[in-house]
């Protein structure tokens, strides 16, 4: 289905005019509208897929299969199997990573949601990047020129600019939150916690120095590769803009690390809503605990 751009534009224009708040400009209101459309009208959460043989939703997980050649072409590293409790037959559910394919399938869990939503944001002209949370979640960040900062956007939850929801609302014990764009990469963990000293005690996969070196190298490589694909003058302008933006973000992240634990917004103190109760309970996203 087409993105209802005209309808979202009208709602965003009305919302931006009504608030008159420079911190809630049109471009933010527009993404909020896209978020609501994506969550409630376009994409579907899938714990286990409905039966492809009889159409029943009464299915249960039945292990994993091996992706075939076509499924692999669309980035499926695994295939989940679902057993139908009505007809007894099995359904294959490839976990696609290709965002273009996800525009067709329009279903999945947080990985598929974030992949597809990030593509939608980019198609609409926004700069967007994926954030991989090593405690089992993925979401999007969108850059707003009017705010001069990256903003948390979770399509699974229809959540906008509520970065502390995982720590405060879901009760997550965060470790690494790493953001990846087509031309840079950043460790953004400090944006999502007000207990950074505590988080550091859980980051034992490698030293902080090694992580910093790796992220710096990845950032330089991705920036150089992307800029080389642009005309020279445009590429240099992009490099300068990126470096200024990264410098500004580094200062912002340092400020987050010094902030006290108090002060979460009301919308950051809610539990997870995506997935059924059993699925959420298995991942500890129902609330602080």
């Amino acid at each position: 289905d087409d993105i209802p751009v005209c309808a979202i534009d009208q709602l965003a224009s009305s919302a931006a005019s009504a608030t008159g708040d420079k911190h809630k400009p049109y471009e933010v209101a527009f993404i909020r509208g896209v978020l609501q459309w994506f969550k409630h009208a376009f994409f579907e959460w899938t714990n286990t897929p409905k039966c492809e043989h009889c159409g029943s939703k009464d299915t249960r997980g039945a292990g994993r299969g091996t992706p075939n050649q076509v499924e692999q072409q669309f980035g499926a590293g695994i295939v989940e199997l679902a057993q139908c409790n009505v007809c007894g037959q099995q359904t294959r559910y490839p976990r696609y990573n290709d965002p273009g394919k996800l525009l067709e399938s329009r279903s999945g869990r947080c990985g598929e949601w974030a992949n597809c939503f990030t593509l939608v944001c980019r198609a609409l002209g926004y700069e967007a990047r994926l954030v991989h949370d090593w405690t089992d979640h993925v979401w999007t960040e969108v850059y707003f020129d009017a705010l001069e900062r990256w903003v948390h956007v979770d399509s699974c939850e229809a959540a906008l600019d509520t970065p502390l929801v995982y720590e405060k609302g879901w009760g997550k014990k965060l470790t690494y939150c790493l953001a990846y764009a087509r031309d840079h990469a950043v460790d953004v963990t400090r944006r999502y916690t007000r207990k950074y000293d505590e988080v550091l005690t859980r980051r034992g996969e490698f030293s902080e120095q090694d992580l910093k070196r790796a992220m710096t190298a990845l950032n330089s490589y991705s920036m150089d590769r992307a800029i080389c694909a642009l005309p020279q003058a445009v590429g240099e302008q992009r490099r300068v803009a990126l470096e200024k933006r990264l410098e500004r973000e580094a200062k912002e992240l340092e400020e987050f690390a010094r902030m006290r634990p108090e002060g979460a917004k009301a919308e950051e103190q809610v539990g997870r809503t995506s997935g059924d109760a059993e699925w959420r309970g298995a991942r500890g996203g129902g609330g602080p605990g």
Side-chain angles (χ1 to χ4, degrees), residues 68-88:
N68 60 37
Q69 186 174 3
V70 174
E71 292 163 344
Q72 290 178 8
Q73 287 177 350
F74 293 107
I78 62 172
V79 173
E80 297 176 354
L81 304 176
Q83 189 80 27
C84 181
N85 294 324
V86 176
C87 72

Side-chain angles (χ1 to χ4, degrees), residues 71-119:
E71 292 163 344
Q72 290 178 8
Q73 287 177 350
F74 293 107
I78 62 172
V79 173
E80 297 176 354
L81 304 176
Q83 189 80 27
C84 181
N85 294 324
V86 176
C87 72
Q89 298 198 66
Q90 284 192 344
T91 294
R92 294 171 61 83
Y93 187 67
R95 299 296 304 276
Y96 293 122
N97 280 300
D98 185 293
K101 182 65 174 177
L102 294 172
L103 290 174
E104 298 177 12
S105 63
R106 293 168 53 172
S107 72
R109 296 194 282 278
C110 59
E112 289 91 348
W113 280 68
N115 263 336
C116 192
F117 183 75
T118 302
L119 172 63

